[in-house]
Amino acid sequence: MLRIHFSDNRQAPIWLVDERFTIGQDSRNSLVLTDAGIGPFHAEIRQDHGFYYLTDFSGTAGTFVNDERIGARFQIRAGDRVRLGAVELLFVDPAKSQVKVENAARWFLQVIQGEHEGKKFHINGSMTFGRSVKCELCFSDQELSRRHCEFFLKDDVLEVKDLASANGILVNQQKVATAVLQPGDQLKMGSVTLLVIGPKVEVAQTEDEDATLFMRAIDLPKPLKPAAVSSSAASTANPLRSAAKANPLLTPAPGAAPPARPSKWLLLGLAVLLLLTATAVAVATLF
């Protein structure tokens, strides 16, 4: 598909999407040019089976392609320069232009439903979408406003803004006035659905507050060497005997009569003492 660029950059480029495209001073033309030397209906471009044919209707003023005056059904190709009066137009095929736009292209809008289904448009700078032929993205859907919305690409961030359209914009089924677009988003305007294609966005992983956190357990002491274990075991082999030696009340005097049978309360106290002693020894061994 060809696109018309203005040599003096007076306005944004125009896509040739209609089968009949007229140029002249009259307001009923597809492209209205009020410059001197341009007739009311100066020229016409017809699209026929993918080819574009330019016909001059100006009379004496003439229409020139690459500085040569043309008549009827002159085939226009990418790279041709058309002059009407003092206005010069350049016809460009972005897919075949010498400057490979695709090399720097990062954001696209692909039509997945509606007019021009399957076509992919490269987004660069600011581009308007609507029924007007002055829109860079021109569609003939009657549900669209003449200037329906505008796409902005700045610092690799793509945004869309509703231009007070009659039927609005749906982004992922939600009506919006303005939105920052992400790859994979779908926009619906009238019967046209567009898919946003862009660079992958690196999203930093955030810590899940509900995730299970594994914390390092306390370091256990290294196992003792056999010699150390033997000495430690020898020193604590019989804690009851050690307790008896430490308590003179439990050791009978020489030649004394055998002590009376201990009561159950004494045995209970000795059991508690034994348990506390064993616990202390175990803790000392671990740490």
Side-chain angles (χ1 to χ4, degrees):
M1 181 180 295
L2 294 181
R3 189 168 62 185
I4 299 177
H5 289 246
F6 295 83
S7 295
D8 57 3
N9 295 317
R10 62 175 62 189
Q11 68 181 65
I14 302 173
W15 287 96
L16 284 175
V17 295
D18 296 329
E19 292 184 2
R20 180 173 180 265
F21 187 88
T22 60
I23 305 172
Q25 288 198 11
D26 194 282
S27 61
R28 290 170 290 178
N29 285 286
S30 305
L31 174 59
V32 178
L33 298 175
T34 58
D35 301 69
I38 296 178
F41 294 94
H42 195 104
E44 176 187 78
I45 301 173
R46 289 274 186 174
Q47 185 177 167
D48 187 8
H49 295 90
F51 298 100
Y52 298 87
Y53 299 95
L54 175 64
T55 299
D56 174 57
F57 292 116
S58 66
T60 57
T63 300
F64 298 83
V65 177
N66 302 326
D67 295 326
E68 293 185 9
R69 186 165 182 168
I70 59 100
R73 286 186 64 83
F74 183 91
Q75 184 176 350
I76 295 294
R77 296 178 173 86
D80 285 343
R81 292 184 177 272
V82 176
R83 179 165 53 84
L84 306 90
V87 179
E88 188 177 67
L89 307 175
L90 175 63
F91 287 73
V92 175
D93 184 351
K96 299 179 180 179
S97 60
Q98 293 180 354
V99 179
K100 295 296 183 180
V101 180
E102 296 291 335
N103 292 340
R106 290 170 62 83
W107 290 91
F108 298 88
L109 293 175
Q110 184 171 9
V111 184
I112 60 177
Q113 185 177 358
E115 186 181 359
H116 307 309
E117 183 173 344
K119 186 171 180 60
K120 187 166 62 174
F121 298 94
H122 168 226
I123 302 301
N124 185 22
S126 173
M127 301 179 69
T128 53
F129 172 96
R131 287 190 297 110
S132 173
V133 294
K134 295 183 179 180
C135 293
E136 290 82 5
L137 305 175
C138 180
F139 289 73
S140 60
D141 183 4
Q142 294 302 313
E143 296 182 28
L144 299 176
S145 299
R146 291 185 59 81
R147 296 180 73 252
H148 198 96
C149 65
E150 189 170 5
F151 293 94
F152 300 90
L153 182 60
K154 184 178 180 181
D155 298 331
D156 214 23
V157 176
L158 180 61
E159 297 183 48
V160 63
K161 179 181 180 182
D162 187 4
L163 298 179
S165 63
N167 296 321
I169 307 171
L170 295 180
V171 177
N172 300 326
Q173 307 300 322
Q174 299 293 326
K175 191 170 184 178
V176 299
T178 181
V180 176
L181 301 177
Q182 300 291 335
D185 286 347
Q186 292 189 17
L187 297 89
K188 184 174 178 59
M189 290 85 75
S191 63
V192 179
T193 302
L194 303 176
L195 173 67
V196 178
I197 301 174
K200 293 182 178 180
V201 179
E202 297 293 337
V203 179
Q205 294 184 354
T206 57
E207 183 178 348
D208 187 357
E209 296 181 354
D210 297 328
T212 302
L213 298 179
F214 294 92
M215 302 184 66
R216 180 180 177 85
I218 189 171
D219 292 330
L220 296 176
K222 295 181 179 180
L224 298 175
K225 295 181 179 180
V229 173
S230 300
S231 61
S232 176
S235 61
T236 59
N238 194 341
L240 183 60
R241 178 180 297 176
S242 301
K245 291 181 179 180
N247 191 346
L249 296 178
L250 300 179
T251 305
R261 184 176 180 179
S263 67
K264 63 179 182 178
W265 296 109
L266 180 60
L267 293 176
L268 180 59
L270 289 175
V272 172
L273 178 62
L274 177 62
L275 180 60
L276 293 176
T277 303
T279 302
V281 171
V283 171
T285 303
L286 288 176
F287 292 91

